Amino acid sequence: MLFNKSERLRIDAAVSLAELKNGSSIPYLLKVAEKDNKTSVQKAAITALGEIGDKRVLPSLTKMMLEQHNDGVRVSAASGMAKLDLNVASPLIAMQLNREQSHLARHALIGFLGPSNHSEAVLAIANATLKKLTKFYSQAEYS
């Protein structure tokens, strides 16, 4: 169903896989999240990845947050990261906040970090934890 021609069926499939929380669907969801031609389907797959709860997808979600052209996809990736591990995701989301051009996306990213004054603290943490995060991502299985 994830590769069906119907956009609605692909979204429904991603939602169903999220409800099952089965890690074996992760490679398929990652492919859809990265390559589907409909942003609504990409966002559904990213949401499913966050709901499944496997932290090994953090590097892939980080890459999507940093490299996707669509701001909705970037925000969905940041949301998934925050659901999986806010402590690991916060410095990365804070870095994206500095790079983000979309006002709406910036607003959403701040929401993931908590009150806007908290985002400044997270930015300071980003540089100090960069080495630790690099090591974590280099050990991840799903990159």
Side-chain angles (χ1 to χ4, degrees):
M1 290 285 193
L2 282 174
F3 305 105
N4 192 288
K5 289 183 181 184
S6 166
E7 178 180 353
R8 181 75 249 160
L9 283 177
R10 295 194 315 272
I11 292 169
D12 290 346
V15 170
S16 295
L17 290 170
E19 291 172 359
L20 293 173
K21 296 190 186 299
N22 186 333
S24 66
S25 63
I26 290 173
Y28 305 104
L29 287 165
L30 281 171
K31 183 175 181 179
V32 170
E34 294 167 353
K35 307 226 184 254
D36 200 279
N37 61 352
K38 296 290 186 180
T39 57
S40 58
V41 178
Q42 287 180 296
K43 292 188 297 185
I46 291 167
T47 300
L49 289 165
E51 294 293 325
I52 289 171
D54 190 327
K55 292 181 183 183
R56 293 178 294 177
V57 301
L58 279 168
S60 296
L61 292 179
T62 300
K63 183 177 179 183
M64 287 180 233
M65 179 186 70
L66 297 173
E67 297 178 2
Q68 277 289 331
H69 297 289
N70 182 278
D71 59 346
V73 174
R74 290 192 306 273
V75 168
S76 292
S79 175
M81 292 167 60
K83 285 179 188 175
L84 289 169
D85 191 334
L86 188 56
N87 289 327
V88 170
S90 290
L92 297 166
I93 292 171
M95 284 189 282
Q96 178 62 19
L97 181 62
N98 282 335
R99 301 174 57 213
E100 187 58 60
Q101 299 297 313
S102 164
H103 176 70
L104 292 174
R106 287 178 57 82
H107 183 73
L109 294 173
I110 289 169
F112 300 141
L113 296 173
S116 59
N117 63 346
H118 178 65
S119 66
E120 292 178 17
V122 174
L123 285 171
I125 294 168
N127 286 332
T129 59
L130 192 56
K131 276 187 172 179
K132 184 176 180 180
L133 294 173
T134 303
K135 181 179 177 183
F136 173 82
Y137 292 137
S138 67
Q139 295 173 347
E141 184 176 330
Y142 295 108
S143 50

